[in-house]
Amino acid sequence: MTEREKMLAGEIYDCGDTELLKQWHKAKNLIREYNQTGSECLEEKDRILCELLGARGENLWITPPFYADYGCNISFGNNCEVNMNCTFLDDNRIIIGNNALIAPNVQIYTAYHPANARERFGELSESGGFAFCKTQSAPVIIGDNVWIGGGAIILPGVTIGNNVLIGAGSIVTRDIPSDKIAYGNPCRVIRDNL
């Protein structure tokens, strides 16, 4: 398996792999370009998003600044809005359905590291350093008609159903079923979203 295949399969992978670093640098350059493009330059912003993202529907609006790791693992449905200062660590797939509203400062993480320091760093070099931490990933899937409140953090492996509202500041550590309002730290279902 390539390191990219390991990454998408949720196995431990090498972030310093040449292929992964090439995509990572490409994404960072496109993101820098996107974040510096004039607000009114819609065609140029659209061109950059087409090159950066894995897939996207119609009517996608991302307010800069926006940050991602690879970009190519992010998919949006139709009619989605991402407000400013959002970070998507897309080491695995981030799939967002139709009519998503993502408020400012939302963070979506697919990457994580082993808890044990020896497993996380591997064998240290003679100088006591290491090249890259060992990393694993799990996808994040967000359904249709979801509103994620400002400052929410969604952790690796989480699935959020359709018609869900995630309250501001929530840390989403587990799946949230469809048709619910959920918030808190950790995020939990509070009531139905009728």
Side-chain angles (χ1 to χ4, degrees), residues 84-153:
M84 66 186 101
N85 209 38
C86 289
T87 300
F88 290 11
L89 297 186
D90 64 310
D91 296 53
N92 206 308
R93 290 174 181 86
I94 297 175
I95 301 170
I96 299 171
N98 297 316
N99 310 314
L101 178 59
I102 300 175
N105 301 305
V106 168
Q107 300 168 60
I108 301 175
Y109 301 148
T110 65
Y112 62 98
H113 307 285
N116 179 285
R118 182 175 300 270
E119 292 175 14
R120 186 169 54 248
F121 296 115
E123 294 298 320
L124 299 179
S125 69
E126 290 181 16
S127 68
F130 60 95
F132 287 94
C133 290
K134 304 298 183 207
T135 306
Q136 289 178 269
S137 68
V140 169
I141 300 169
I142 298 171
D144 295 336
N145 308 311
V146 172
W147 176 17
I148 300 173
I153 299 172

Short mmCIF file of all heavy atoms in Angstrom, two decimals, residues 84-153:
data_model
loop_
_atom_site.label_atom_id
_atom_site.label_comp_id
_atom_site.label_asym_id
_atom_site.label_seq_id
_atom_site.Cartn_x
_atom_site.Cartn_y
_atom_site.Cartn_z
N MET A 84 -15.64 32.36 8.04
CA MET A 84 -14.21 32.62 8.16
C MET A 84 -13.51 31.81 9.25
O MET A 84 -14.11 31.39 10.21
CB MET A 84 -13.97 34.10 8.39
CG MET A 84 -14.48 34.61 9.71
SD MET A 84 -14.30 36.38 9.84
CE MET A 84 -15.97 36.86 9.48
N ASN A 85 -12.23 31.60 8.99
CA ASN A 85 -11.29 31.03 9.95
C ASN A 85 -11.59 29.58 10.30
O ASN A 85 -11.36 29.15 11.43
CB ASN A 85 -11.22 31.88 11.22
CG ASN A 85 -9.87 31.78 11.88
OD1 ASN A 85 -8.85 31.71 11.20
ND2 ASN A 85 -9.86 31.74 13.19
N CYS A 86 -12.07 28.81 9.34
CA CYS A 86 -12.32 27.39 9.56
C CYS A 86 -11.09 26.57 9.14
O CYS A 86 -10.39 26.94 8.21
CB CYS A 86 -13.56 26.92 8.80
SG CYS A 86 -15.09 27.58 9.51
N THR A 87 -10.88 25.46 9.86
CA THR A 87 -9.75 24.58 9.60
C THR A 87 -10.27 23.17 9.39
O THR A 87 -10.95 22.62 10.24
CB THR A 87 -8.77 24.59 10.80
OG1 THR A 87 -8.30 25.93 10.99
CG2 THR A 87 -7.60 23.66 10.56
N PHE A 88 -9.94 22.59 8.24
CA PHE A 88 -10.33 21.22 7.91
C PHE A 88 -9.05 20.39 7.73
O PHE A 88 -8.37 20.52 6.72
CB PHE A 88 -11.12 21.17 6.60
CG PHE A 88 -12.50 21.77 6.65
CD1 PHE A 88 -12.96 22.52 7.72
CD2 PHE A 88 -13.37 21.57 5.59
CE1 PHE A 88 -14.23 23.06 7.73
CE2 PHE A 88 -14.65 22.10 5.60
CZ PHE A 88 -15.09 22.85 6.67
N LEU A 89 -8.73 19.55 8.70
CA LEU A 89 -7.58 18.66 8.58
C LEU A 89 -8.04 17.40 7.87
O LEU A 89 -8.47 16.44 8.49
CB LEU A 89 -6.98 18.35 9.95
CG LEU A 89 -6.41 19.53 10.73
CD1 LEU A 89 -5.73 19.06 11.99
CD2 LEU A 89 -5.49 20.37 9.88
N ASP A 90 -7.96 17.44 6.57
CA ASP A 90 -8.54 16.40 5.71
C ASP A 90 -7.53 15.31 5.35
O ASP A 90 -7.34 14.98 4.20
CB ASP A 90 -9.16 17.01 4.46
CG ASP A 90 -8.14 17.69 3.56
OD1 ASP A 90 -7.33 18.50 4.06
OD2 ASP A 90 -8.15 17.40 2.35
N ASP A 91 -6.90 14.72 6.36
CA ASP A 91 -6.02 13.60 6.11
C ASP A 91 -6.84 12.38 5.68
O ASP A 91 -6.31 11.48 5.03
CB ASP A 91 -5.19 13.28 7.36
CG ASP A 91 -4.27 14.44 7.71
OD1 ASP A 91 -4.77 15.57 7.84
OD2 ASP A 91 -3.07 14.21 7.86
N ASN A 92 -8.09 12.35 6.04
CA ASN A 92 -9.04 11.38 5.52
C ASN A 92 -10.18 12.19 4.91
O ASN A 92 -10.12 13.42 4.86
CB ASN A 92 -9.55 10.45 6.64
CG ASN A 92 -9.99 9.10 6.13
OD1 ASN A 92 -10.81 9.03 5.21
ND2 ASN A 92 -9.47 8.04 6.73
N ARG A 93 -11.21 11.52 4.46
CA ARG A 93 -12.30 12.21 3.78
C ARG A 93 -13.15 13.05 4.74
O ARG A 93 -13.49 12.59 5.83
CB ARG A 93 -13.18 11.20 3.06
CG ARG A 93 -12.46 10.58 1.87
CD ARG A 93 -13.26 9.46 1.22
NE ARG A 93 -12.52 8.91 0.11
CZ ARG A 93 -11.61 7.93 0.23
NH1 ARG A 93 -11.36 7.42 1.41
NH2 ARG A 93 -10.97 7.49 -0.83
N ILE A 94 -13.47 14.25 4.32
CA ILE A 94 -14.48 15.09 4.96
C ILE A 94 -15.57 15.24 3.92
O ILE A 94 -15.37 15.87 2.88
CB ILE A 94 -13.91 16.45 5.39
CG1 ILE A 94 -12.81 16.28 6.44
CG2 ILE A 94 -15.03 17.35 5.91
CD1 ILE A 94 -12.10 17.57 6.82
N ILE A 95 -16.72 14.65 4.19
CA ILE A 95 -17.85 14.68 3.26
C ILE A 95 -18.96 15.50 3.89
O ILE A 95 -19.45 15.16 4.98
CB ILE A 95 -18.33 13.25 2.95
CG1 ILE A 95 -17.18 12.44 2.33
CG2 ILE A 95 -19.54 13.28 2.02
CD1 ILE A 95 -17.45 10.96 2.20
N ILE A 96 -19.35 16.57 3.23
CA ILE A 96 -20.37 17.49 3.73
C ILE A 96 -21.52 17.50 2.74
O ILE A 96 -21.32 17.71 1.55
CB ILE A 96 -19.77 18.90 3.91
CG1 ILE A 96 -18.62 18.83 4.93
CG2 ILE A 96 -20.84 19.89 4.35
CD1 ILE A 96 -17.80 20.09 5.05
N GLY A 97 -22.73 17.26 3.24
CA GLY A 97 -23.90 17.15 2.39
C GLY A 97 -24.40 18.49 1.89
O GLY A 97 -23.70 19.51 1.95
N ASN A 98 -25.64 18.51 1.41
CA ASN A 98 -26.27 19.71 0.87
C ASN A 98 -26.72 20.65 1.99
O ASN A 98 -27.05 20.21 3.09
CB ASN A 98 -27.49 19.34 0.03
CG ASN A 98 -27.13 18.51 -1.17
OD1 ASN A 98 -26.16 18.79 -1.88
ND2 ASN A 98 -27.91 17.46 -1.42
N ASN A 99 -26.75 21.94 1.68
CA ASN A 99 -27.32 22.96 2.56
C ASN A 99 -26.64 23.02 3.92
O ASN A 99 -27.30 23.17 4.95
CB ASN A 99 -28.83 22.74 2.73
CG ASN A 99 -29.53 22.56 1.40
OD1 ASN A 99 -29.30 23.31 0.47
ND2 ASN A 99 -30.36 21.54 1.31
N ALA A 100 -25.32 22.92 3.94
CA ALA A 100 -24.57 22.99 5.19
C ALA A 100 -24.22 24.44 5.50
O ALA A 100 -23.85 25.21 4.61
CB ALA A 100 -23.30 22.17 5.09
N LEU A 101 -24.34 24.78 6.76
CA LEU A 101 -23.93 26.09 7.26
C LEU A 101 -22.89 25.84 8.34
O LEU A 101 -23.19 25.24 9.38
CB LEU A 101 -25.13 26.85 7.82
CG LEU A 101 -24.85 28.22 8.43
CD1 LEU A 101 -24.20 29.15 7.41
CD2 LEU A 101 -26.14 28.83 8.97
N ILE A 102 -21.66 26.28 8.07
CA ILE A 102 -20.56 26.08 9.00
C ILE A 102 -20.09 27.45 9.45
O ILE A 102 -19.59 28.24 8.66
CB ILE A 102 -19.44 25.26 8.33
CG1 ILE A 102 -20.01 23.89 7.91
CG2 ILE A 102 -18.25 25.10 9.26
CD1 ILE A 102 -19.06 23.03 7.13
N ALA A 103 -20.26 27.72 10.73
CA ALA A 103 -19.99 29.04 11.30
C ALA A 103 -18.48 29.29 11.46
O ALA A 103 -17.67 28.39 11.24
CB ALA A 103 -20.71 29.15 12.65
N PRO A 104 -18.10 30.52 11.86
CA PRO A 104 -16.67 30.83 12.00
C PRO A 104 -15.97 29.94 13.01
O PRO A 104 -16.57 29.47 13.97
CB PRO A 104 -16.67 32.29 12.49
CG PRO A 104 -17.98 32.84 12.05
CD PRO A 104 -18.94 31.70 12.11
N ASN A 105 -14.69 29.74 12.77
CA ASN A 105 -13.78 29.06 13.69
C ASN A 105 -14.10 27.59 13.93
O ASN A 105 -13.64 27.01 14.91
CB ASN A 105 -13.71 29.81 15.03
CG ASN A 105 -13.24 31.23 14.86
OD1 ASN A 105 -12.19 31.48 14.29
ND2 ASN A 105 -14.05 32.17 15.31
N VAL A 106 -14.86 26.98 13.04
CA VAL A 106 -15.13 25.55 13.16
C VAL A 106 -13.88 24.78 12.73
O VAL A 106 -13.21 25.15 11.76
CB VAL A 106 -16.35 25.14 12.33
CG1 VAL A 106 -16.47 23.62 12.20
CG2 VAL A 106 -17.63 25.72 12.93
N GLN A 107 -13.59 23.71 13.47
CA GLN A 107 -12.45 22.86 13.16
C GLN A 107 -12.95 21.44 12.95
O GLN A 107 -13.69 20.91 13.78
CB GLN A 107 -11.45 22.89 14.31
CG GLN A 107 -10.92 24.31 14.58
CD GLN A 107 -10.16 24.37 15.88
OE1 GLN A 107 -9.17 23.67 16.05
NE2 GLN A 107 -10.62 25.20 16.80
N ILE A 108 -12.56 20.84 11.83
CA ILE A 108 -12.91 19.46 11.53
C ILE A 108 -11.61 18.70 11.38
O ILE A 108 -10.79 19.01 10.51
CB ILE A 108 -13.77 19.35 10.26
CG1 ILE A 108 -15.07 20.15 10.41
CG2 ILE A 108 -14.06 17.88 9.95
CD1 ILE A 108 -15.93 20.19 9.15
N TYR A 109 -11.42 17.71 12.24
CA TYR A 109 -10.18 16.94 12.26
C TYR A 109 -10.45 15.51 11.83
O TYR A 109 -11.36 14.86 12.34
CB TYR A 109 -9.58 16.89 13.66
CG TYR A 109 -9.25 18.22 14.28
CD1 TYR A 109 -9.35 18.39 15.66
CD2 TYR A 109 -8.83 19.29 13.52
CE1 TYR A 109 -9.03 19.60 16.25
CE2 TYR A 109 -8.50 20.50 14.10
CZ TYR A 109 -8.60 20.66 15.47
OH TYR A 109 -8.29 21.85 16.05
N THR A 110 -9.63 14.99 10.91
CA THR A 110 -9.67 13.57 10.59
C THR A 110 -8.39 12.88 11.06
O THR A 110 -8.35 11.66 11.11
CB THR A 110 -9.85 13.32 9.08
OG1 THR A 110 -8.70 13.81 8.38
CG2 THR A 110 -11.11 13.99 8.55
N ALA A 111 -7.37 13.62 11.39
CA ALA A 111 -6.08 13.05 11.79
C ALA A 111 -5.97 12.95 13.30
O ALA A 111 -6.49 13.80 14.03
CB ALA A 111 -4.94 13.90 11.24
N TYR A 112 -5.28 11.91 13.74
CA TYR A 112 -4.96 11.76 15.17
C TYR A 112 -3.66 10.96 15.29
O TYR A 112 -3.18 10.38 14.32
CB TYR A 112 -6.10 11.11 15.94
CG TYR A 112 -6.47 9.71 15.52
CD1 TYR A 112 -5.98 8.60 16.20
CD2 TYR A 112 -7.30 9.48 14.42
CE1 TYR A 112 -6.32 7.31 15.82
CE2 TYR A 112 -7.64 8.19 14.03
CZ TYR A 112 -7.15 7.12 14.74
OH TYR A 112 -7.50 5.85 14.35
N HIS A 113 -3.10 10.97 16.49
CA HIS A 113 -1.81 10.32 16.73
C HIS A 113 -1.96 9.29 17.85
O HIS A 113 -2.82 9.43 18.72
CB HIS A 113 -0.77 11.36 17.14
CG HIS A 113 -0.66 12.50 16.19
ND1 HIS A 113 -0.03 12.39 14.97
CD2 HIS A 113 -1.12 13.78 16.26
CE1 HIS A 113 -0.10 13.55 14.33
NE2 HIS A 113 -0.76 14.41 15.08
N PRO A 114 -1.11 8.25 17.86
CA PRO A 114 -1.13 7.29 18.97
C PRO A 114 -0.91 8.01 20.30
O PRO A 114 -0.12 8.95 20.39
CB PRO A 114 0.03 6.35 18.64
CG PRO A 114 0.19 6.44 17.16
CD PRO A 114 -0.14 7.87 16.83
N ALA A 115 -1.61 7.56 21.34
CA ALA A 115 -1.50 8.19 22.66
C ALA A 115 -0.14 7.92 23.29
O ALA A 115 0.41 8.78 23.98
CB ALA A 115 -2.62 7.68 23.58
N ASN A 116 0.42 6.75 23.06
CA ASN A 116 1.70 6.38 23.63
C ASN A 116 2.83 7.11 22.90
O ASN A 116 2.93 7.04 21.67
CB ASN A 116 1.87 4.85 23.51
CG ASN A 116 3.19 4.38 24.07
OD1 ASN A 116 4.23 4.56 23.44
ND2 ASN A 116 3.14 3.78 25.25
N ALA A 117 3.68 7.79 23.65
CA ALA A 117 4.74 8.61 23.05
C ALA A 117 5.69 7.77 22.19
O ALA A 117 6.10 8.21 21.11
CB ALA A 117 5.53 9.35 24.12
N ARG A 118 6.04 6.57 22.63
CA ARG A 118 6.95 5.73 21.85
C ARG A 118 6.32 5.36 20.51
O ARG A 118 6.98 5.38 19.48
CB ARG A 118 7.32 4.48 22.64
CG ARG A 118 8.31 3.59 21.91
CD ARG A 118 8.73 2.43 22.78
NE ARG A 118 9.36 2.87 24.01
CZ ARG A 118 10.67 3.08 24.17
NH1 ARG A 118 11.46 2.91 23.14
NH2 ARG A 118 11.16 3.46 25.32
N GLU A 119 5.02 5.06 20.53
CA GLU A 119 4.32 4.74 19.28
C GLU A 119 4.16 5.99 18.41
O GLU A 119 4.23 5.92 17.19
CB GLU A 119 2.95 4.15 19.58
CG GLU A 119 2.99 2.78 20.22
CD GLU A 119 1.61 2.29 20.62
OE1 GLU A 119 0.60 2.88 20.16
OE2 GLU A 119 1.54 1.33 21.40
N ARG A 120 3.95 7.13 19.06
CA ARG A 120 3.73 8.38 18.33
C ARG A 120 4.99 8.85 17.61
O ARG A 120 4.93 9.31 16.48
CB ARG A 120 3.23 9.44 19.31
CG ARG A 120 2.83 10.74 18.69
CD ARG A 120 2.08 11.66 19.65
NE ARG A 120 2.77 11.94 20.88
CZ ARG A 120 2.37 11.51 22.09
NH1 ARG A 120 1.30 10.77 22.22
NH2 ARG A 120 3.05 11.83 23.17
N PHE A 121 6.15 8.74 18.27
CA PHE A 121 7.37 9.28 17.70
C PHE A 121 8.23 8.23 17.02
O PHE A 121 9.10 8.56 16.22
CB PHE A 121 8.20 9.99 18.76
CG PHE A 121 7.51 11.20 19.34
CD1 PHE A 121 7.13 11.23 20.66
CD2 PHE A 121 7.20 12.29 18.53
CE1 PHE A 121 6.49 12.34 21.19
CE2 PHE A 121 6.55 13.39 19.05
CZ PHE A 121 6.20 13.41 20.38
N GLY A 122 8.04 6.95 17.35
CA GLY A 122 8.89 5.91 16.78
C GLY A 122 10.29 6.01 17.36
O GLY A 122 10.51 6.63 18.40
N GLU A 123 11.22 5.42 16.67
CA GLU A 123 12.61 5.47 17.12
C GLU A 123 13.19 6.86 16.87
O GLU A 123 13.11 7.38 15.77
CB GLU A 123 13.45 4.41 16.38
CG GLU A 123 13.04 2.99 16.71
CD GLU A 123 13.23 2.65 18.17
OE1 GLU A 123 14.25 3.06 18.76
OE2 GLU A 123 12.35 1.96 18.73
N LEU A 124 13.76 7.43 17.92
CA LEU A 124 14.37 8.75 17.79
C LEU A 124 15.73 8.62 17.11
O LEU A 124 16.42 7.60 17.24
CB LEU A 124 14.53 9.41 19.16
CG LEU A 124 13.23 9.65 19.94
CD1 LEU A 124 13.54 10.29 21.29
CD2 LEU A 124 12.28 10.53 19.14
N SER A 125 16.12 9.66 16.39
CA SER A 125 17.43 9.66 15.75
C SER A 125 18.52 9.85 16.80
O SER A 125 18.23 10.09 17.98
CB SER A 125 17.50 10.80 14.72
OG SER A 125 17.49 12.05 15.38
N GLU A 126 19.78 9.75 16.40
CA GLU A 126 20.89 9.95 17.34
C GLU A 126 20.84 11.31 18.00
O GLU A 126 21.27 11.48 19.12
CB GLU A 126 22.22 9.74 16.62
CG GLU A 126 22.47 8.29 16.23
CD GLU A 126 23.82 8.12 15.54
OE1 GLU A 126 24.67 9.02 15.62
OE2 GLU A 126 24.00 7.06 14.92
N SER A 127 20.29 12.30 17.29
CA SER A 127 20.20 13.65 17.85
C SER A 127 19.03 13.79 18.82
O SER A 127 18.87 14.82 19.46
CB SER A 127 20.06 14.68 16.73
OG SER A 127 18.79 14.53 16.10
N GLY A 128 18.20 12.74 18.91
CA GLY A 128 17.04 12.78 19.81
C GLY A 128 15.79 13.32 19.14
O GLY A 128 14.76 13.50 19.79
N GLY A 129 15.85 13.57 17.84
CA GLY A 129 14.70 14.12 17.12
C GLY A 129 13.98 13.07 16.30
O GLY A 129 14.34 11.88 16.30
N PHE A 130 12.93 13.51 15.62
CA PHE A 130 12.17 12.62 14.74
C PHE A 130 11.70 13.43 13.55
O PHE A 130 11.63 14.66 13.60
CB PHE A 130 10.95 12.03 15.48
CG PHE A 130 9.99 13.07 15.99
CD1 PHE A 130 8.88 13.44 15.24
CD2 PHE A 130 10.19 13.69 17.21
CE1 PHE A 130 8.00 14.40 15.69
CE2 PHE A 130 9.31 14.66 17.67
CZ PHE A 130 8.21 15.01 16.91
N ALA A 131 11.42 12.75 12.44
CA ALA A 131 11.00 13.44 11.22
C ALA A 131 9.55 13.88 11.30
O ALA A 131 9.24 15.06 11.16
CB ALA A 131 11.22 12.54 10.01
N PHE A 132 8.64 12.96 11.53
CA PHE A 132 7.20 13.25 11.62
C PHE A 132 6.59 12.32 12.65
O PHE A 132 7.02 11.17 12.79
CB PHE A 132 6.50 13.02 10.27
CG PHE A 132 6.80 14.05 9.24
CD1 PHE A 132 7.82 13.87 8.33
CD2 PHE A 132 6.05 15.22 9.17
CE1 PHE A 132 8.10 14.83 7.37
CE2 PHE A 132 6.33 16.18 8.22
CZ PHE A 132 7.35 15.98 7.31
N CYS A 133 5.57 12.79 13.34
CA CYS A 133 4.80 11.94 14.25
C CYS A 133 4.07 10.87 13.44
O CYS A 133 3.67 11.11 12.31
CB CYS A 133 3.76 12.74 15.01
SG CYS A 133 4.43 13.86 16.23
N LYS A 134 3.90 9.70 14.04
CA LYS A 134 3.07 8.67 13.42
C LYS A 134 1.62 9.16 13.47
O LYS A 134 1.17 9.72 14.47
CB LYS A 134 3.19 7.35 14.16
CG LYS A 134 4.61 6.84 14.28
CD LYS A 134 5.23 6.58 12.94
CE LYS A 134 6.63 6.00 13.12
NZ LYS A 134 7.49 6.27 12.02
N THR A 135 0.92 8.97 12.40
CA THR A 135 -0.43 9.52 12.28
C THR A 135 -1.38 8.47 11.74
O THR A 135 -0.99 7.61 10.95
CB THR A 135 -0.42 10.74 11.33
OG1 THR A 135 0.57 11.67 11.79
CG2 THR A 135 -1.76 11.43 11.29
N GLN A 136 -2.64 8.56 12.19
CA GLN A 136 -3.74 7.77 11.65
C GLN A 136 -4.86 8.74 11.33
O GLN A 136 -4.81 9.92 11.68
CB GLN A 136 -4.22 6.74 12.67
CG GLN A 136 -3.25 5.60 12.89
CD GLN A 136 -3.76 4.64 13.93
OE1 GLN A 136 -3.45 4.82 15.09
NE2 GLN A 136 -4.51 3.64 13.51
N SER A 137 -5.90 8.24 10.67
CA SER A 137 -7.01 9.12 10.33
C SER A 137 -8.31 8.34 10.27
O SER A 137 -8.31 7.12 10.12
CB SER A 137 -6.76 9.82 8.99
OG SER A 137 -6.81 8.88 7.94
N ALA A 138 -9.40 9.06 10.40
CA ALA A 138 -10.74 8.49 10.25
C ALA A 138 -11.62 9.56 9.61
O ALA A 138 -11.49 10.76 9.94
CB ALA A 138 -11.30 8.06 11.60
N PRO A 139 -12.52 9.19 8.71
CA PRO A 139 -13.33 10.19 8.00
C PRO A 139 -14.34 10.89 8.90
O PRO A 139 -14.73 10.38 9.94
CB PRO A 139 -14.05 9.35 6.93
CG PRO A 139 -14.09 7.97 7.49
CD PRO A 139 -12.85 7.82 8.31
N VAL A 140 -14.75 12.07 8.45
CA VAL A 140 -15.86 12.81 9.07
C VAL A 140 -16.93 12.98 8.01
O VAL A 140 -16.64 13.43 6.90
CB VAL A 140 -15.40 14.18 9.61
CG1 VAL A 140 -16.59 15.05 10.01
CG2 VAL A 140 -14.43 14.01 10.77
N ILE A 141 -18.15 12.61 8.36
CA ILE A 141 -19.27 12.70 7.42
C ILE A 141 -20.35 13.56 8.05
O ILE A 141 -20.78 13.32 9.17
CB ILE A 141 -19.82 11.30 7.06
CG1 ILE A 141 -18.70 10.47 6.43
CG2 ILE A 141 -21.02 11.42 6.13
CD1 ILE A 141 -19.03 9.02 6.27
N ILE A 142 -20.79 14.57 7.31
CA ILE A 142 -21.81 15.52 7.77
C ILE A 142 -22.96 15.47 6.77
O ILE A 142 -22.75 15.64 5.57
CB ILE A 142 -21.22 16.94 7.88
CG1 ILE A 142 -20.07 16.93 8.92
CG2 ILE A 142 -22.29 17.95 8.24
CD1 ILE A 142 -19.27 18.20 8.98
N GLY A 143 -24.17 15.25 7.26
CA GLY A 143 -25.34 15.08 6.40
C GLY A 143 -25.86 16.38 5.81
O GLY A 143 -25.20 17.42 5.84
N ASP A 144 -27.09 16.30 5.29
CA ASP A 144 -27.76 17.45 4.68
C ASP A 144 -28.41 18.33 5.74
O ASP A 144 -28.82 17.86 6.80
CB ASP A 144 -28.86 16.97 3.72
CG ASP A 144 -28.32 16.20 2.53
OD1 ASP A 144 -27.14 16.40 2.18
OD2 ASP A 144 -29.09 15.41 1.95
N ASN A 145 -28.50 19.62 5.43
CA ASN A 145 -29.23 20.59 6.26
C ASN A 145 -28.66 20.69 7.67
O ASN A 145 -29.40 20.79 8.65
CB ASN A 145 -30.72 20.23 6.33
CG ASN A 145 -31.31 20.04 4.96
OD1 ASN A 145 -31.13 20.87 4.07
ND2 ASN A 145 -31.99 18.92 4.77
N VAL A 146 -27.34 20.68 7.78
CA VAL A 146 -26.66 20.74 9.08
C VAL A 146 -26.12 22.14 9.30
O VAL A 146 -25.55 22.75 8.40
CB VAL A 146 -25.53 19.69 9.15
CG1 VAL A 146 -24.70 19.87 10.42
CG2 VAL A 146 -26.11 18.28 9.08
N TRP A 147 -26.30 22.63 10.52
CA TRP A 147 -25.72 23.90 10.95
C TRP A 147 -24.76 23.59 12.09
O TRP A 147 -25.16 23.04 13.11
CB TRP A 147 -26.81 24.86 11.40
CG TRP A 147 -26.33 26.17 11.97
CD1 TRP A 147 -25.09 26.73 11.85
CD2 TRP A 147 -27.10 27.08 12.75
NE1 TRP A 147 -25.04 27.93 12.50
CE2 TRP A 147 -26.27 28.18 13.07
CE3 TRP A 147 -28.40 27.07 13.22
CZ2 TRP A 147 -26.71 29.25 13.84
CZ3 TRP A 147 -28.84 28.15 13.98
CH2 TRP A 147 -28.00 29.22 14.28
N ILE A 148 -23.48 23.94 11.88
CA ILE A 148 -22.46 23.75 12.91
C ILE A 148 -22.10 25.12 13.46
O ILE A 148 -21.61 25.98 12.73
CB ILE A 148 -21.22 23.03 12.34
CG1 ILE A 148 -21.64 21.66 11.79
CG2 ILE A 148 -20.15 22.88 13.41
CD1 ILE A 148 -20.56 20.94 11.05
N GLY A 149 -22.38 25.33 14.74
CA GLY A 149 -22.18 26.62 15.38
C GLY A 149 -20.72 27.00 15.53
O GLY A 149 -19.81 26.14 15.51
N GLY A 150 -20.47 28.28 15.71
CA GLY A 150 -19.13 28.84 15.80
C GLY A 150 -18.26 28.17 16.84
O GLY A 150 -18.70 27.88 17.95
N GLY A 151 -17.02 27.92 16.46
CA GLY A 151 -16.03 27.39 17.38
C GLY A 151 -16.19 25.91 17.70
O GLY A 151 -15.46 25.39 18.54
N ALA A 152 -17.11 25.22 17.04
CA ALA A 152 -17.27 23.79 17.28
C ALA A 152 -16.05 23.04 16.74
O ALA A 152 -15.42 23.45 15.77
CB ALA A 152 -18.55 23.27 16.63
N ILE A 153 -15.76 21.92 17.39
CA ILE A 153 -14.67 21.04 16.97
C ILE A 153 -15.25 19.66 16.74
O ILE A 153 -15.92 19.11 17.61
CB ILE A 153 -13.55 20.98 18.03
CG1 ILE A 153 -12.96 22.37 18.25
CG2 ILE A 153 -12.47 19.98 17.62
CD1 ILE A 153 -11.98 22.45 19.42
#
